[in-house]
Amino acid sequence: MPRTLSPARFRPSLTEIVCLLAGGGLVLTYAWLMDDAYVYFRYVDNLVVRGAGLVWNPGEYVEGFSSPLWAILLVLLRGLHLDFWVIVRVAGVLSFAAFWWLAVLANRGLTSDRAQGGTRYNLPLVYLSVCYGVLCYFTSGLESPLVLVMAGVYACAVLYPGSTVLQILLGISPLVRPELTVPFALMLILIRLRTKRIPVPAVVSGLVSVGGYLAFRIWYYADLFPNTFHLKDELWITQGMRYLWDTLAPYWTLPFLIGLAALYFALRRRLSPGTLHRSERLLMVLLALTVAGYVVKVGGAPIHFKDLAFPFALIVLSGGGLLETAGARWTRGVRARAIVGSLILGLAVASAHSRQLKHHPILHRGAFGHQTVQLISDAALHRAPSMGLIPGRGAGIQALSYDTAKRRYEKQGEGGPTQVESWCRTAYVRPSVRIVHSRGLTEPFLARTPVHSDRPAHKFGLELLAEDVARVRRTQGFRAGAFESALEEGRGKEWMRRNLESIRGIEARVYNGHDFLRNLALALTPPEVIRVEESEIGRSSR
């Protein structure tokens, strides 16, 4: 039978309280900003500070971010004139606290009834509260803290499928990351089977949030998918498997999971599968694998751990309650040794770091010896002071404040030049400049040009095409028909002529008039594709 929530299940143990304090402190210690976060910042400031809309370049309607919910939260908080750097760190700490609470609840739900009220080891929480990979992504300026919270929500929803609050949170999960749509759909089926009721709160929440935003996306952007979907939609399983191993290798993850599995099978000799919550654990793993499979399919990400945060945390949480269940049969001396063992586990995981670093970021701040491994970098690279992504001291600390952004817009004015740029921070601090993103992140024509990635989500072959697009923009402006006019004047490129019909279709979306029915027809049209030759992207000799 499905469990119901009870206030008694929320009482944290001393171990869990220590995990909250340690994890919260490490979240602040590891706080950083990924360059892609400045995509959100430019979009949000264009809306909140400039009044130009939720756009990258004014008048060009392209959804260049991956998480609508994170964008909405940033808009609301920026509307209070808060500093982005403050928002990121506060959101990180609060999200960790929510994740911690959910991890406590999940551990209670996975503990056998006989062991309830006993010693609380909570091995998954001990592991996750000190793991460098996990804690890095409670900040970054991206949607990562919401992703990790959702891992806890899904774990608890499997255990407490009748909870209205959890069902509502499930409903909004696809707005956190598009790939959470599949586990959400599976959860609707599982809740129906387990509770024998239609999950009305989840369905209504999904229709209002996801359905409402989809209607907005069609009206505003004339598309069913964000620009990043078109950019990253490829098949690169070999790199995806490397990314999977890069995530699992550093943090004693496989030994930890194997140890929990061995404990489960040892307990199974004495206890029934129902007592050990076998089906709930398997469901958590299944939900995690749906997301992990998509990440592997597209080749992972250029940054260590980031895109596997959800399945990683959910699979670890599925191991909750096993040590508590075993401990109910142990003597006091054995329980004491188990506590010491948990402490040793915590220290071992806390001392681990990614393969990209020679030294732990805490012990060697700023001198961690970063190197790229199998096309994957670490968050520490973006955290380094030399990158300029994190506000420094003195005047630099105000770089992401509302007042600074407002003065920047007033000083630079409107109608700036058009430039090609790959660094999102550079684009953010130059709001008057119209930016053609050289790797297609916010550029609709490049995103729909299928060029194989040199690194995950990094298509260097688009850079020459970006220069071609920028030349058209400089002479013809950002408008429908610009490419056609350039071709008529002899300024266009041959690839533009061959793909003129696709370019017209993309222009119809990007420069739409916000007519919902017209945009709905455009959104339901198959996505346009721009085909180019190897020589046109500078790879004929490679």
Side-chain angles (χ1 to χ4, degrees):
M1 291 294 291
R3 290 173 175 264
T4 57
L5 294 174
S6 169
R9 300 187 186 279
F10 286 87
R11 295 174 185 170
S13 67
L14 177 60
T15 299
E16 291 164 337
I17 292 174
V18 171
C19 287
L20 174 63
L21 297 176
L26 288 172
V27 166
L28 288 176
T29 301
Y30 293 140
W32 64 299
L33 291 175
M34 189 170 173
D35 183 58
D36 289 13
Y38 286 87
V39 171
Y40 284 101
F41 298 166
R42 179 166 166 127
Y43 269 86
V44 170
D45 276 0
N46 269 333
L47 174 64
V48 176
V49 182
R50 193 175 190 178
L54 197 60
V55 293
W56 177 256
N57 293 315
E60 191 175 46
Y61 299 101
V62 183
E63 185 181 0
F65 48 85
S66 300
S67 175
L69 185 59
W70 182 240
I72 291 169
L73 289 176
L74 288 178
V75 166
L76 295 175
L77 295 171
R78 190 63 158 177
L80 301 176
H81 296 193
L82 297 179
D83 185 309
F84 279 129
W85 185 224
V86 173
I87 291 172
V88 167
R89 289 178 293 171
V90 172
V93 172
L94 293 179
S95 296
F96 176 76
F99 176 80
W100 170 86
W101 198 254
L102 291 164
V104 171
L105 180 58
N107 193 70
R108 300 298 186 273
L110 289 170
T111 302
S112 67
D113 292 337
R114 181 176 178 179
Q116 295 290 345
T119 304
R120 303 296 186 188
Y121 305 100
N122 205 334
L123 277 185
L125 184 59
V126 171
Y127 181 95
L128 295 169
S129 294
V130 294
C131 179
Y132 168 75
V134 174
L135 297 178
C136 274
Y137 290 98
F138 279 104
T139 59
S140 79
L142 301 179
E143 65 279 359
S144 43
L146 303 183
V147 170
L148 284 159
V149 169
M150 282 300 165
V153 168
Y154 272 83
C156 290
V158 169
L159 295 164
Y160 310 98
S163 167
T164 299
V165 172
L166 291 175
Q167 287 194 29
I168 291 173
L169 291 174
L170 289 177
I172 66 174
S173 64
L175 290 185
V176 175
R177 288 287 303 185
E179 55 264 35
L180 295 184
T181 302
V182 174
F184 171 59
L186 289 176
M187 280 302 303
L188 292 179
I189 298 172
L190 294 172
I191 292 172
R192 176 68 179 86
L193 293 175
R194 297 196 67 206
T195 65
K196 310 301 181 184
R197 298 178 182 177
I198 297 174
V200 174
V203 172
V204 172
S205 174
L207 288 175
V208 172
S209 60
V210 179
Y213 187 81
L214 182 59
F216 167 79
R217 176 183 284 153
I218 292 170
W219 170 75
Y220 202 67
Y221 298 115
D223 206 338
L224 295 177
F225 304 100
N227 196 64
T228 51
F229 172 82
H230 301 293
L231 177 68
K232 299 176 182 179
D233 185 28
E234 65 177 323
L235 185 66
W236 198 3
I237 294 177
T238 53
Q239 181 61 26
M241 293 302 295
R242 295 187 193 106
Y243 188 72
L244 178 64
W245 176 246
D246 188 72
T247 300
L248 297 176
Y251 306 111
W252 303 90
T253 309
L254 292 179
F256 175 72
L257 294 178
I258 290 171
L260 289 178
L263 181 59
Y264 172 86
F265 285 108
L267 290 170
R268 190 179 174 183
R269 297 176 182 175
R270 304 176 182 178
L271 302 173
S272 66
T275 301
L276 292 174
H277 306 289
R278 180 182 65 182
S279 60
E280 288 88 347
R281 298 179 196 276
L282 290 176
L283 288 174
M284 291 182 198
V285 173
L286 173 64
L287 294 169
L289 290 179
T290 62
V291 175
Y294 171 78
V295 174
V296 169
K297 178 257 182 189
V298 299
I303 296 291
H304 166 73
F305 194 94
K306 181 177 79 70
D307 282 13
L308 286 175
F310 176 88
F312 185 95
L314 186 53
I315 287 177
V316 171
L317 289 173
S318 71
L322 289 172
L323 198 58
E324 285 82 356
T325 301
R329 300 170 173 268
W330 291 343
T331 63
R332 182 176 299 179
V334 176
R335 287 197 294 269
R337 288 195 291 273
I339 293 175
V340 173
S342 300
L343 177 61
I344 294 173
L345 170 70
L347 292 174
V349 176
S351 64
H353 53 77
S354 67
R355 298 187 299 165
Q356 287 77 10
L357 305 181
K358 293 182 180 179
H359 310 291
H360 200 287
I362 291 181
L363 301 178
H364 298 268
R365 304 200 63 172
F368 29 73
H370 180 276
Q371 62 179 354
T372 299
V373 176
Q374 295 182 316
L375 307 180
I376 305 165
S377 297
D378 183 82
L381 179 63
H382 286 232
R383 195 185 301 117
S386 60
M387 300 296 285
L389 298 173
I390 300 176
R393 298 180 179 179
I397 201 67
Q398 297 297 321
L400 295 175
S401 72
Y402 180 91
D403 292 338
T404 299
K406 187 174 181 179
R407 287 194 298 270
R408 189 183 294 130
Y409 279 109
E410 292 172 348
K411 180 179 179 180
Q412 296 186 18
E414 303 286 344
T418 297
Q419 293 183 359
V420 176
E421 183 56 65
S422 62
W423 277 97
C424 304
R425 182 188 180 279
T426 303
Y428 173 74
V429 299
R430 305 191 68 185
S432 68
V433 177
R434 288 178 174 267
I435 299 293
V436 175
H437 196 284
S438 66
R439 292 168 192 169
L441 196 60
T442 60
E443 170 53 50
F445 302 96
L446 300 183
R448 290 168 172 83
T449 304
V451 174
H452 187 72
S453 295
D454 299 88
R455 292 181 62 203
H458 284 64
K459 299 180 178 181
F460 300 134
L462 296 176
E463 293 178 351
L464 288 180
L465 302 183
E467 294 289 349
D468 295 341
V469 171
R471 279 192 288 270
V472 171
R473 298 305 199 195
R474 293 185 187 111
T475 59
Q476 306 298 329
F478 286 70
R479 61 178 180 85
F483 289 87
E484 192 166 2
S485 296
L487 288 168
E488 291 173 355
E489 296 177 8
R491 298 174 182 271
K493 294 287 187 175
E494 180 57 31
W495 69 265
M496 299 175 188
R497 189 179 305 280
R498 291 198 315 272
N499 293 281
L500 191 54
E501 284 303 312
S502 292
I503 289 173
R504 286 170 178 161
I506 298 169
E507 287 179 333
R509 298 175 190 267
V510 174
Y511 304 107
N512 72 85
H514 305 311
D515 180 326
F516 185 81
L517 294 180
R518 168 62 177 159
N519 284 6
L520 178 60
L522 289 170
L524 295 176
T525 302
E528 299 81 4
V529 177
I530 294 177
R531 305 290 182 183
V532 296
E533 303 292 338
E534 291 289 302
S535 59
E536 291 170 321
I537 59 176
R539 292 188 172 182
S540 57
S541 61
R542 295 186 186 183

